[in-house]
PDB file of all heavy atoms in Angstrom:
ATOM      1  N   ASP H  19     -11.662 -33.346  -7.635  1.00 93.00           N
ATOM      2  CA  ASP H  19     -11.987 -31.981  -8.030  1.00 93.00           C
ATOM      3  C   ASP H  19     -12.317 -31.161  -6.795  1.00 93.00           C
ATOM      4  O   ASP H  19     -13.013 -31.633  -5.888  1.00 93.00           O
ATOM      5  CB  ASP H  19     -13.183 -31.953  -8.985  1.00 93.00           C
ATOM      6  CG  ASP H  19     -12.851 -32.561 -10.329  1.00 93.00           C
ATOM      7  OD1 ASP H  19     -11.658 -32.756 -10.602  1.00 93.00           O
ATOM      8  OD2 ASP H  19     -13.787 -32.849 -11.102  1.00 93.00           O
ATOM      9  N   TRP H  20     -11.802 -29.923  -6.756  1.00 93.00           N
ATOM     10  CA  TRP H  20     -12.207 -29.006  -5.683  1.00 93.00           C
ATOM     11  C   TRP H  20     -13.509 -28.356  -6.126  1.00 93.00           C
ATOM     12  O   TRP H  20     -13.527 -27.450  -6.953  1.00 93.00           O
ATOM     13  CB  TRP H  20     -11.130 -27.969  -5.437  1.00 93.00           C
ATOM     14  CG  TRP H  20     -11.221 -27.355  -4.069  1.00 93.00           C
ATOM     15  CD1 TRP H  20     -12.178 -27.596  -3.136  1.00 93.00           C
ATOM     16  CD2 TRP H  20     -10.326 -26.416  -3.471  1.00 93.00           C
ATOM     17  NE1 TRP H  20     -11.942 -26.879  -1.994  1.00 93.00           N
ATOM     18  CE2 TRP H  20     -10.809 -26.136  -2.175  1.00 93.00           C
ATOM     19  CE3 TRP H  20      -9.173 -25.780  -3.908  1.00 93.00           C
ATOM     20  CZ2 TRP H  20     -10.175 -25.257  -1.327  1.00 93.00           C
ATOM     21  CZ3 TRP H  20      -8.539 -24.900  -3.048  1.00 93.00           C
ATOM     22  CH2 TRP H  20      -9.025 -24.645  -1.775  1.00 93.00           C
ATOM     23  N   GLN H  21     -14.616 -28.856  -5.587  1.00 93.00           N
ATOM     24  CA  GLN H  21     -15.939 -28.414  -5.993  1.00 93.00           C
ATOM     25  C   GLN H  21     -16.334 -27.118  -5.298  1.00 93.00           C
ATOM     26  O   GLN H  21     -15.802 -26.772  -4.236  1.00 93.00           O
ATOM     27  CB  GLN H  21     -16.975 -29.512  -5.698  1.00 93.00           C
ATOM     28  CG  GLN H  21     -16.710 -30.839  -6.374  1.00 93.00           C
ATOM     29  CD  GLN H  21     -17.006 -30.791  -7.864  1.00 93.00           C
ATOM     30  OE1 GLN H  21     -17.699 -29.894  -8.346  1.00 93.00           O
ATOM     31  NE2 GLN H  21     -16.477 -31.752  -8.609  1.00 93.00           N
ATOM     32  N   THR H  22     -17.280 -26.403  -5.899  1.00 91.00           N
ATOM     33  CA  THR H  22     -17.719 -25.113  -5.362  1.00 91.00           C
ATOM     34  C   THR H  22     -18.226 -25.204  -3.927  1.00 91.00           C
ATOM     35  O   THR H  22     -17.876 -24.353  -3.095  1.00 91.00           O
ATOM     36  CB  THR H  22     -18.786 -24.499  -6.279  1.00 91.00           C
ATOM     37  OG1 THR H  22     -18.211 -24.247  -7.564  1.00 91.00           O
ATOM     38  CG2 THR H  22     -19.317 -23.202  -5.703  1.00 91.00           C
ATOM     39  N   PRO H  23     -19.060 -26.215  -3.546  1.00 90.00           N
ATOM     40  CA  PRO H  23     -19.505 -26.277  -2.136  1.00 90.00           C
ATOM     41  C   PRO H  23     -18.335 -26.397  -1.160  1.00 90.00           C
ATOM     42  O   PRO H  23     -18.325 -25.744  -0.111  1.00 90.00           O
ATOM     43  CB  PRO H  23     -20.398 -27.528  -2.117  1.00 90.00           C
ATOM     44  CG  PRO H  23     -20.879 -27.675  -3.519  1.00 90.00           C
ATOM     45  CD  PRO H  23     -19.742 -27.225  -4.372  1.00 90.00           C
ATOM     46  N   ASP H  24     -17.332 -27.238  -1.497  1.00 92.00           N
ATOM     47  CA  ASP H  24     -16.168 -27.362  -0.610  1.00 92.00           C
ATOM     48  C   ASP H  24     -15.374 -26.062  -0.574  1.00 92.00           C
ATOM     49  O   ASP H  24     -14.841 -25.671   0.477  1.00 92.00           O
ATOM     50  CB  ASP H  24     -15.267 -28.501  -1.090  1.00 92.00           C
ATOM     51  CG  ASP H  24     -15.944 -29.866  -0.963  1.00 92.00           C
ATOM     52  OD1 ASP H  24     -16.765 -30.018  -0.047  1.00 92.00           O
ATOM     53  OD2 ASP H  24     -15.655 -30.746  -1.787  1.00 92.00           O
ATOM     54  N   ALA H  25     -15.280 -25.399  -1.734  1.00 91.00           N
ATOM     55  CA  ALA H  25     -14.553 -24.134  -1.783  1.00 91.00           C
ATOM     56  C   ALA H  25     -15.249 -23.070  -0.932  1.00 91.00           C
ATOM     57  O   ALA H  25     -14.584 -22.261  -0.267  1.00 91.00           O
ATOM     58  CB  ALA H  25     -14.435 -23.655  -3.222  1.00 91.00           C
ATOM     59  N   ARG H  26     -16.571 -23.051  -0.952  1.00 90.00           N
ATOM     60  CA  ARG H  26     -17.297 -22.071  -0.144  1.00 90.00           C
ATOM     61  C   ARG H  26     -17.090 -22.320   1.343  1.00 90.00           C
ATOM     62  O   ARG H  26     -16.958 -21.372   2.132  1.00 90.00           O
ATOM     63  CB  ARG H  26     -18.778 -22.121  -0.492  1.00 90.00           C
ATOM     64  CG  ARG H  26     -19.098 -21.512  -1.860  1.00 90.00           C
ATOM     65  CD  ARG H  26     -20.568 -21.636  -2.183  1.00 90.00           C
ATOM     66  NE  ARG H  26     -20.880 -20.983  -3.455  1.00 90.00           N
ATOM     67  CZ  ARG H  26     -22.064 -21.066  -4.061  1.00 90.00           C
ATOM     68  NH1 ARG H  26     -23.051 -21.783  -3.504  1.00 90.00           N
ATOM     69  NH2 ARG H  26     -22.269 -20.451  -5.210  1.00 90.00           N
ATOM     70  N   ARG H  27     -17.064 -23.582   1.741  1.00 91.00           N
ATOM     71  CA  ARG H  27     -16.793 -23.890   3.148  1.00 91.00           C
ATOM     72  C   ARG H  27     -15.380 -23.436   3.515  1.00 91.00           C
ATOM     73  O   ARG H  27     -15.141 -22.926   4.616  1.00 91.00           O
ATOM     74  CB  ARG H  27     -16.946 -25.388   3.384  1.00 91.00           C
ATOM     75  CG  ARG H  27     -18.372 -25.903   3.271  1.00 91.00           C
ATOM     76  CD  ARG H  27     -18.401 -27.412   3.284  1.00 91.00           C
ATOM     77  NE  ARG H  27     -17.802 -27.948   4.513  1.00 91.00           N
ATOM     78  CZ  ARG H  27     -17.342 -29.183   4.626  1.00 91.00           C
ATOM     79  NH1 ARG H  27     -17.360 -29.998   3.588  1.00 91.00           N
ATOM     80  NH2 ARG H  27     -16.846 -29.586   5.770  1.00 91.00           N
ATOM     81  N   TRP H  28     -14.427 -23.627   2.600  1.00 92.00           N
ATOM     82  CA  TRP H  28     -13.050 -23.187   2.849  1.00 92.00           C
ATOM     83  C   TRP H  28     -12.986 -21.675   2.982  1.00 92.00           C
ATOM     84  O   TRP H  28     -12.312 -21.137   3.865  1.00 92.00           O
ATOM     85  CB  TRP H  28     -12.170 -23.670   1.700  1.00 92.00           C
ATOM     86  CG  TRP H  28     -10.703 -23.482   1.894  1.00 92.00           C
ATOM     87  CD1 TRP H  28      -9.833 -24.369   2.434  1.00 92.00           C
ATOM     88  CD2 TRP H  28      -9.927 -22.326   1.543  1.00 92.00           C
ATOM     89  NE1 TRP H  28      -8.558 -23.852   2.433  1.00 92.00           N
ATOM     90  CE2 TRP H  28      -8.582 -22.597   1.897  1.00 92.00           C
ATOM     91  CE3 TRP H  28     -10.225 -21.112   0.955  1.00 92.00           C
ATOM     92  CZ2 TRP H  28      -7.556 -21.681   1.697  1.00 92.00           C
ATOM     93  CZ3 TRP H  28      -9.204 -20.191   0.759  1.00 92.00           C
ATOM     94  CH2 TRP H  28      -7.889 -20.476   1.120  1.00 92.00           C
ATOM     95  N   LEU H  29     -13.707 -20.961   2.103  1.00 89.00           N
ATOM     96  CA  LEU H  29     -13.702 -19.497   2.154  1.00 89.00           C
ATOM     97  C   LEU H  29     -14.405 -18.966   3.395  1.00 89.00           C
ATOM     98  O   LEU H  29     -14.097 -17.862   3.855  1.00 89.00           O
ATOM     99  CB  LEU H  29     -14.378 -18.932   0.898  1.00 89.00           C
ATOM    100  CG  LEU H  29     -13.513 -18.863  -0.363  1.00 89.00           C
ATOM    101  CD1 LEU H  29     -14.368 -18.489  -1.559  1.00 89.00           C
ATOM    102  CD2 LEU H  29     -12.397 -17.851  -0.181  1.00 89.00           C
ATOM    103  N   ALA H  30     -15.352 -19.746   3.907  1.00 87.00           N
ATOM    104  CA  ALA H  30     -16.068 -19.287   5.105  1.00 87.00           C
ATOM    105  C   ALA H  30     -15.168 -19.288   6.331  1.00 87.00           C
ATOM    106  O   ALA H  30     -15.447 -18.582   7.313  1.00 87.00           O
ATOM    107  CB  ALA H  30     -17.292 -20.163   5.350  1.00 87.00           C
ATOM    108  N   ALA H  31     -14.101 -20.082   6.291  1.00 88.00           N
ATOM    109  CA  ALA H  31     -13.188 -20.162   7.434  1.00 88.00           C
ATOM    110  C   ALA H  31     -12.102 -19.099   7.325  1.00 88.00           C
ATOM    111  O   ALA H  31     -10.909 -19.395   7.283  1.00 88.00           O
ATOM    112  CB  ALA H  31     -12.568 -21.552   7.501  1.00 88.00           C
ATOM    113  N   VAL H  32     -12.521 -17.847   7.255  1.00 86.00           N
ATOM    114  CA  VAL H  32     -11.581 -16.729   7.215  1.00 86.00           C
ATOM    115  C   VAL H  32     -11.702 -15.958   8.524  1.00 86.00           C
ATOM    116  O   VAL H  32     -12.762 -15.972   9.166  1.00 86.00           O
ATOM    117  CB  VAL H  32     -11.859 -15.798   6.010  1.00 86.00           C
ATOM    118  CG1 VAL H  32     -11.627 -16.528   4.709  1.00 86.00           C
ATOM    119  CG2 VAL H  32     -13.274 -15.241   6.062  1.00 86.00           C
ATOM    120  N   PRO H  33     -10.640 -15.289   8.948  1.00 87.00           N
ATOM    121  CA  PRO H  33     -10.692 -14.576  10.224  1.00 87.00           C
ATOM    122  C   PRO H  33     -11.749 -13.478  10.240  1.00 87.00           C
ATOM    123  O   PRO H  33     -12.103 -12.912   9.204  1.00 87.00           O
ATOM    124  CB  PRO H  33      -9.273 -13.990  10.357  1.00 87.00           C
ATOM    125  CG  PRO H  33      -8.420 -14.833   9.473  1.00 87.00           C
ATOM    126  CD  PRO H  33      -9.301 -15.250   8.341  1.00 87.00           C
ATOM    127  N   ALA H  34     -12.228 -13.183  11.429  1.00 85.00           N
ATOM    128  CA  ALA H  34     -13.180 -12.081  11.599  1.00 85.00           C
ATOM    129  C   ALA H  34     -12.477 -10.748  11.342  1.00 85.00           C
ATOM    130  O   ALA H  34     -11.250 -10.651  11.380  1.00 85.00           O
ATOM    131  CB  ALA H  34     -13.770 -12.113  13.010  1.00 85.00           C
ATOM    132  N   ARG H  35     -13.260  -9.727  11.085  1.00 85.00           N
ATOM    133  CA  ARG H  35     -12.692  -8.418  10.746  1.00 85.00           C
ATOM    134  C   ARG H  35     -11.861  -7.848  11.890  1.00 85.00           C
ATOM    135  O   ARG H  35     -10.858  -7.173  11.657  1.00 85.00           O
ATOM    136  CB  ARG H  35     -13.822  -7.454  10.380  1.00 85.00           C
ATOM    137  CG  ARG H  35     -14.545  -7.796   9.087  1.00 85.00           C
ATOM    138  CD  ARG H  35     -15.603  -6.771   8.788  1.00 85.00           C
ATOM    139  NE  ARG H  35     -15.028  -5.459   8.602  1.00 85.00           N
ATOM    140  CZ  ARG H  35     -15.729  -4.319   8.598  1.00 85.00           C
ATOM    141  NH1 ARG H  35     -17.035  -4.365   8.788  1.00 85.00           N
ATOM    142  NH2 ARG H  35     -15.137  -3.171   8.415  1.00 85.00           N
ATOM    143  N   TRP H  36     -12.257  -8.130  13.134  1.00 88.00           N
ATOM    144  CA  TRP H  36     -11.503  -7.562  14.255  1.00 88.00           C
ATOM    145  C   TRP H  36     -10.091  -8.128  14.328  1.00 88.00           C
ATOM    146  O   TRP H  36      -9.199  -7.499  14.906  1.00 88.00           O
ATOM    147  CB  TRP H  36     -12.230  -7.826  15.576  1.00 88.00           C
ATOM    148  CG  TRP H  36     -12.293  -9.283  15.974  1.00 88.00           C
ATOM    149  CD1 TRP H  36     -13.290 -10.159  15.708  1.00 88.00           C
ATOM    150  CD2 TRP H  36     -11.294 -10.013  16.711  1.00 88.00           C
ATOM    151  NE1 TRP H  36     -12.994 -11.405  16.210  1.00 88.00           N
ATOM    152  CE2 TRP H  36     -11.778 -11.339  16.837  1.00 88.00           C
ATOM    153  CE3 TRP H  36     -10.061  -9.692  17.259  1.00 88.00           C
ATOM    154  CZ2 TRP H  36     -11.058 -12.328  17.492  1.00 88.00           C
ATOM    155  CZ3 TRP H  36      -9.338 -10.682  17.915  1.00 88.00           C
ATOM    156  CH2 TRP H  36      -9.835 -11.972  18.028  1.00 88.00           C
ATOM    157  N   ALA H  37      -9.878  -9.324  13.736  1.00 89.00           N
ATOM    158  CA  ALA H  37      -8.565  -9.958  13.790  1.00 89.00           C
ATOM    159  C   ALA H  37      -7.671  -9.572  12.621  1.00 89.00           C
ATOM    160  O   ALA H  37      -6.583 -10.120  12.483  1.00 89.00           O
ATOM    161  CB  ALA H  37      -8.726 -11.481  13.816  1.00 89.00           C
ATOM    162  N   HIS H  38      -8.102  -8.634  11.783  1.00 88.00           N
ATOM    163  CA  HIS H  38      -7.252  -8.200  10.675  1.00 88.00           C
ATOM    164  C   HIS H  38      -5.955  -7.608  11.239  1.00 88.00           C
ATOM    165  O   HIS H  38      -5.966  -6.854  12.213  1.00 88.00           O
ATOM    166  CB  HIS H  38      -7.977  -7.155   9.831  1.00 88.00           C
ATOM    167  CG  HIS H  38      -7.330  -6.891   8.512  1.00 88.00           C
ATOM    168  ND1 HIS H  38      -6.203  -6.121   8.378  1.00 88.00           N
ATOM    169  CD2 HIS H  38      -7.632  -7.315   7.260  1.00 88.00           C
ATOM    170  CE1 HIS H  38      -5.847  -6.060   7.110  1.00 88.00           C
ATOM    171  NE2 HIS H  38      -6.696  -6.783   6.410  1.00 88.00           N
ATOM    172  N   PRO H  39      -4.800  -7.955  10.650  1.00 90.00           N
ATOM    173  CA  PRO H  39      -3.521  -7.470  11.199  1.00 90.00           C
ATOM    174  C   PRO H  39      -3.417  -5.958  11.293  1.00 90.00           C
ATOM    175  O   PRO H  39      -2.671  -5.443  12.142  1.00 90.00           O
ATOM    176  CB  PRO H  39      -2.481  -8.032  10.212  1.00 90.00           C
ATOM    177  CG  PRO H  39      -3.151  -9.189   9.551  1.00 90.00           C
ATOM    178  CD  PRO H  39      -4.605  -8.860   9.506  1.00 90.00           C
ATOM    179  N   LEU H  40      -4.155  -5.232  10.446  1.00 90.00           N
ATOM    180  CA  LEU H  40      -4.050  -3.775  10.463  1.00 90.00           C
ATOM    181  C   LEU H  40      -4.387  -3.210  11.836  1.00 90.00           C
ATOM    182  O   LEU H  40      -3.691  -2.324  12.341  1.00 90.00           O
ATOM    183  CB  LEU H  40      -4.965  -3.175   9.394  1.00 90.00           C
ATOM    184  CG  LEU H  40      -5.055  -1.653   9.363  1.00 90.00           C
ATOM    185  CD1 LEU H  40      -3.700  -1.043   9.030  1.00 90.00           C
ATOM    186  CD2 LEU H  40      -6.115  -1.183   8.373  1.00 90.00           C
ATOM    187  N   TRP H  41      -5.461  -3.716  12.454  1.00 91.00           N
ATOM    188  CA  TRP H  41      -5.873  -3.168  13.753  1.00 91.00           C
ATOM    189  C   TRP H  41      -4.812  -3.451  14.816  1.00 91.00           C
ATOM    190  O   TRP H  41      -4.525  -2.603  15.670  1.00 91.00           O
ATOM    191  CB  TRP H  41      -7.205  -3.760  14.176  1.00 91.00           C
ATOM    192  CG  TRP H  41      -8.286  -3.613  13.159  1.00 91.00           C
ATOM    193  CD1 TRP H  41      -9.103  -4.584  12.663  1.00 91.00           C
ATOM    194  CD2 TRP H  41      -8.687  -2.400  12.491  1.00 91.00           C
ATOM    195  NE1 TRP H  41      -9.969  -4.078  11.731  1.00 91.00           N
ATOM    196  CE2 TRP H  41      -9.748  -2.735  11.604  1.00 91.00           C
ATOM    197  CE3 TRP H  41      -8.258  -1.077  12.540  1.00 91.00           C
ATOM    198  CZ2 TRP H  41     -10.359  -1.797  10.793  1.00 91.00           C
ATOM    199  CZ3 TRP H  41      -8.876  -0.136  11.726  1.00 91.00           C
ATOM    200  CH2 TRP H  41      -9.912  -0.499  10.879  1.00 91.00           C
ATOM    201  N   ALA H  42      -4.247  -4.672  14.791  1.00 92.00           N
ATOM    202  CA  ALA H  42      -3.225  -5.012  15.776  1.00 92.00           C
ATOM    203  C   ALA H  42      -1.969  -4.158  15.586  1.00 92.00           C
ATOM    204  O   ALA H  42      -1.377  -3.681  16.561  1.00 92.00           O
ATOM    205  CB  ALA H  42      -2.879  -6.496  15.662  1.00 92.00           C
ATOM    206  N   VAL H  43      -1.559  -3.960  14.332  1.00 92.00           N
ATOM    207  CA  VAL H  43      -0.368  -3.144  14.067  1.00 92.00           C
ATOM    208  C   VAL H  43      -0.579  -1.713  14.545  1.00 92.00           C
ATOM    209  O   VAL H  43       0.296  -1.119  15.193  1.00 92.00           O
ATOM    210  CB  VAL H  43      -0.030  -3.186  12.563  1.00 92.00           C
ATOM    211  CG1 VAL H  43       1.036  -2.151  12.219  1.00 92.00           C
ATOM    212  CG2 VAL H  43       0.452  -4.577  12.165  1.00 92.00           C
ATOM    213  N   LEU H  44      -1.744  -1.138  14.241  1.00 92.00           N
ATOM    214  CA  LEU H  44      -2.031   0.224  14.686  1.00 92.00           C
ATOM    215  C   LEU H  44      -2.040   0.313  16.211  1.00 92.00           C
ATOM    216  O   LEU H  44      -1.508   1.266  16.794  1.00 92.00           O
ATOM    217  CB  LEU H  44      -3.370   0.690  14.120  1.00 92.00           C
ATOM    218  CG  LEU H  44      -3.417   0.954  12.608  1.00 92.00           C
ATOM    219  CD1 LEU H  44      -4.828   1.342  12.186  1.00 92.00           C
ATOM    220  CD2 LEU H  44      -2.431   2.047  12.217  1.00 92.00           C
ATOM    221  N   ALA H  45      -2.644  -0.679  16.865  1.00 92.00           N
ATOM    222  CA  ALA H  45      -2.699  -0.661  18.338  1.00 92.00           C
ATOM    223  C   ALA H  45      -1.298  -0.730  18.932  1.00 92.00           C
ATOM    224  O   ALA H  45      -0.973   0.006  19.882  1.00 92.00           O
ATOM    225  CB  ALA H  45      -3.550  -1.835  18.831  1.00 92.00           C
ATOM    226  N   LEU H  46      -0.450  -1.592  18.376  1.00 92.00           N
ATOM    227  CA  LEU H  46       0.919  -1.705  18.897  1.00 92.00           C
ATOM    228  C   LEU H  46       1.706  -0.417  18.681  1.00 92.00           C
ATOM    229  O   LEU H  46       2.403   0.063  19.588  1.00 92.00           O
ATOM    230  CB  LEU H  46       1.634  -2.877  18.225  1.00 92.00           C
ATOM    231  CG  LEU H  46       1.193  -4.285  18.638  1.00 92.00           C
ATOM    232  CD1 LEU H  46       1.918  -5.320  17.796  1.00 92.00           C
ATOM    233  CD2 LEU H  46       1.477  -4.524  20.119  1.00 92.00           C
ATOM    234  N   LEU H  47       1.622   0.134  17.475  1.00 91.00           N
ATOM    235  CA  LEU H  47       2.386   1.349  17.183  1.00 91.00           C
ATOM    236  C   LEU H  47       1.947   2.514  18.056  1.00 91.00           C
ATOM    237  O   LEU H  47       2.767   3.245  18.614  1.00 91.00           O
ATOM    238  CB  LEU H  47       2.254   1.701  15.704  1.00 91.00           C
ATOM    239  CG  LEU H  47       2.906   0.723  14.711  1.00 91.00           C
ATOM    240  CD1 LEU H  47       2.640   1.166  13.282  1.00 91.00           C
ATOM    241  CD2 LEU H  47       4.408   0.628  14.952  1.00 91.00           C
ATOM    242  N   VAL H  48       0.637   2.709  18.177  1.00 91.00           N
ATOM    243  CA  VAL H  48       0.131   3.820  18.984  1.00 91.00           C
ATOM    244  C   VAL H  48       0.538   3.647  20.446  1.00 91.00           C
ATOM    245  O   VAL H  48       0.984   4.600  21.106  1.00 91.00           O
ATOM    246  CB  VAL H  48      -1.396   3.924  18.848  1.00 91.00           C
ATOM    247  CG1 VAL H  48      -1.969   4.904  19.866  1.00 91.00           C
ATOM    248  CG2 VAL H  48      -1.774   4.367  17.442  1.00 91.00           C
ATOM    249  N   SER H  49       0.406   2.426  20.965  1.00 89.00           N
ATOM    250  CA  SER H  49       0.738   2.204  22.374  1.00 89.00           C
ATOM    251  C   SER H  49       2.235   2.387  22.630  1.00 89.00           C
ATOM    252  O   SER H  49       2.632   2.944  23.664  1.00 89.00           O
ATOM    253  CB  SER H  49       0.293   0.803  22.805  1.00 89.00           C
ATOM    254  OG  SER H  49       0.983  -0.195  22.071  1.00 89.00           O
ATOM    255  N   MET H  50       3.089   1.928  21.694  1.00 88.00           N
ATOM    256  CA  MET H  50       4.534   2.099  21.883  1.00 88.00           C
ATOM    257  C   MET H  50       4.937   3.564  21.822  1.00 88.00           C
ATOM    258  O   MET H  50       5.729   4.040  22.649  1.00 88.00           O
ATOM    259  CB  MET H  50       5.289   1.287  20.831  1.00 88.00           C
ATOM    260  CG  MET H  50       5.268  -0.217  21.080  1.00 88.00           C
ATOM    261  SD  MET H  50       6.416  -1.136  20.007  1.00 88.00           S
ATOM    262  CE  MET H  50       5.699  -0.855  18.411  1.00 88.00           C
TER     263      MET H  50
END
Side-chain angles (χ1 to χ4, degrees):
D19 292 346
W20 202 356
Q21 302 286 342
T22 297
D24 294 329
R26 287 178 177 172
R27 291 170 59 201
W28 189 92
L29 279 171
V32 296
R35 292 182 62 194
W36 67 267
H38 194 283
L40 175 63
W41 306 129
V43 169
L44 290 177
L46 288 175
L47 293 177
V48 170
S49 63
M50 286 191 295

